[in-house]
Amino acid sequence: MSAAMRSGRPWLAYALVTVLLWGVWGALAGLSSQHGFPDTLVYCVWALTMIPPALFVLWRAGWSLDRTPGAIGYGMAIGLLGAGGQMVLFKALTTGPAYFIFPVISLSPVVTIALSFLLLRERTGRLGALGIALALVALPMLDLSFGGGAQGLGWFPLALLIMLAWGVQAYFMKLANNTVSAESIFFYMMLGALLLIPVAWGMTDWTQPLNLGLDGPWMAAAIQILNAVGALMLVYAFRYGKAIVVAPLTNAGAPLVTAALSLLIAGVVPGPLKMVGLALALVASLLLVLQPEHDAPAPRAP
């Protein structure tokens, strides 16, 4: 990370930390539900784990919170789009198969790239363009698996809605960083996540057995803090880097770490299709990292 900082590419350091944290999180995320702690309550725990990193970076910034309407609007929109997409995902998974839903959702960088290209006029070189293209091809393959018949098509508009919400969220994250401090953005993201805790709480099936032991909410908190800190690093990555590069790099890179850990820890070998997706994601990540910076230097990292 320090090497990327010294090279004048702080966005890369933050993006790689995001990839690492989200990759480890992805390998462990399913443990909570396997131990009898429902996903809706995992969301509640995740929202609470956003508080420590939000307060820490705000403390580092001298408790300087941007209270302008623009900062509040951007931060809350980013938080609610991310958290709202998660709420819709809970509903989608009750109406359709995960092996169809997640490949659709994984294409959210397409939305981010399109908006950044058209509205922010972001551009990249040939290596970066090829990396973006390979990442977009790889992403659905990383989540695609085959199973039983689908339960109708009611899941499809919900999956598209989540894809749109998370793609727009990343675009707003980049747009907000042009005028609002990263610390303020993440603080309002935290508030947006906390606001939807009652919704997740209300969606919980309380008739099912609930594990409240150490491997219940406490293990969920230890796992979800990885996601929360990764989200904070992503805000910084968008602050110093182009959205059309950061979005595909983080979305394609994290599954590589997840797959490697799943192989090492559980001996889970991906199927042929996922192996091709992982290979494409690896090449895409390398191309995005190797693409030279031609723009003016970004603001200095804190």
Side-chain angles (χ1 to χ4, degrees), residues 200-212:
W201 190 271
M203 294 173 66
T204 303
D205 183 1
W206 297 102
T207 64
Q208 299 298 316
L210 180 62
N211 177 12
L212 295 177

Side-chain angles (χ1 to χ4, degrees), residues 146-255:
F146 298 98
Q151 308 164 23
L153 291 176
W155 59 268
F156 186 66
L158 296 178
L160 287 179
L161 184 60
I162 300 166
M163 180 190 75
L164 181 63
W166 288 351
V168 173
Q169 179 202 31
Y171 167 74
F172 276 156
M173 199 176 290
K174 175 59 182 177
L175 188 61
N177 265 303
N178 292 330
T179 55
V180 183
S181 70
E183 296 80 13
S184 295
I185 292 172
F186 192 75
F187 180 84
Y188 293 119
M189 284 175 61
M190 173 201 71
L191 290 184
L194 292 175
L195 284 176
L196 291 185
I197 283 181
V199 178
W201 190 271
M203 294 173 66
T204 303
D205 183 1
W206 297 102
T207 64
Q208 299 298 316
L210 180 62
N211 177 12
L212 295 177
L214 288 176
D215 57 353
W218 299 105
M219 183 176 69
I223 295 171
Q224 295 305 314
I225 193 68
L226 299 172
N227 184 292
V229 177
L232 173 61
M233 295 296 100
L234 184 64
V235 175
Y236 282 116
F238 276 116
R239 180 170 184 79
Y240 299 105
K242 296 177 180 178
I244 62 171
V245 174
V246 172
L249 174 60
T250 52
N251 280 271

Side-chain angles (χ1 to χ4, degrees), residues 28 47 52 79 102 119 171 239 270:
L28 303 176
F102 282 105
L119 302 180
Y171 167 74
R239 180 170 184 79

Side-chain angles (χ1 to χ4, degrees), residues 35-291:
H35 285 78
F37 196 69
D39 288 332
T40 48
L41 293 185
V42 170
Y43 171 87
C44 298
V45 171
W46 166 76
L48 293 173
T49 62
M50 295 277 281
I51 296 175
L55 294 181
F56 174 75
V57 294
L58 202 60
W59 166 73
R60 281 194 62 203
W63 301 106
S64 177
L65 179 64
D66 191 336
R67 297 180 177 86
T68 62
I72 296 172
Y74 275 134
M76 293 299 292
I78 294 167
L80 291 173
L81 282 168
Q86 187 63 55
M87 296 293 103
V88 178
L89 179 59
F90 290 147
K91 175 63 176 176
L93 290 174
T94 66
T95 61
Y99 53 84
F100 282 154
I101 293 171
F102 282 105
V104 175
I105 295 173
S106 70
L107 291 173
S108 63
V110 173
V111 178
T112 307
I113 292 168
L115 291 174
S116 301
F117 184 87
L118 295 173
L119 302 180
L120 297 180
R121 299 288 190 266
E122 288 190 345
R123 301 292 185 268
T124 187
R126 291 181 180 179
L127 286 180
L130 180 57
I132 291 170
L134 291 178
L136 295 181
V137 172
L139 285 171
M141 300 173 73
L142 294 173
D143 284 308
L144 187 61
S145 59
F146 298 98
Q151 308 164 23
L153 291 176
W155 59 268
F156 186 66
L158 296 178
L160 287 179
L161 184 60
I162 300 166
M163 180 190 75
L164 181 63
W166 288 351
V168 173
Q169 179 202 31
Y171 167 74
F172 276 156
M173 199 176 290
K174 175 59 182 177
L175 188 61
N177 265 303
N178 292 330
T179 55
V180 183
S181 70
E183 296 80 13
S184 295
I185 292 172
F186 192 75
F187 180 84
Y188 293 119
M189 284 175 61
M190 173 201 71
L191 290 184
L194 292 175
L195 284 176
L196 291 185
I197 283 181
V199 178
W201 190 271
M203 294 173 66
T204 303
D205 183 1
W206 297 102
T207 64
Q208 299 298 316
L210 180 62
N211 177 12
L212 295 177
L214 288 176
D215 57 353
W218 299 105
M219 183 176 69
I223 295 171
Q224 295 305 314
I225 193 68
L226 299 172
N227 184 292
V229 177
L232 173 61
M233 295 296 100
L234 184 64
V235 175
Y236 282 116
F238 276 116
R239 180 170 184 79
Y240 299 105
K242 296 177 180 178
I244 62 171
V245 174
V246 172
L249 174 60
T250 52
N251 280 271
L256 290 172
V257 178
T258 298
L261 288 176
S262 298
L263 179 60
L264 290 174
I265 297 174
V268 176
V269 180
L273 191 63
K274 286 190 177 181
M275 288 296 290
V276 173
L278 288 168
L280 289 176
L282 177 59
V283 175
S285 300
L286 290 174
L287 291 174
L288 291 168
V289 169
L290 293 174
Q291 170 60 47

Side-chain angles (χ1 to χ4, degrees), residues 1 5 9-11 13-14 60 183 236 239-240 298-302:
M1 179 170 178
M5 290 290 194
R9 305 176 76 188
W11 70 268
Y14 289 119
R60 281 194 62 203
E183 296 80 13
Y236 282 116
R239 180 170 184 79
Y240 299 105
R300 287 187 62 189

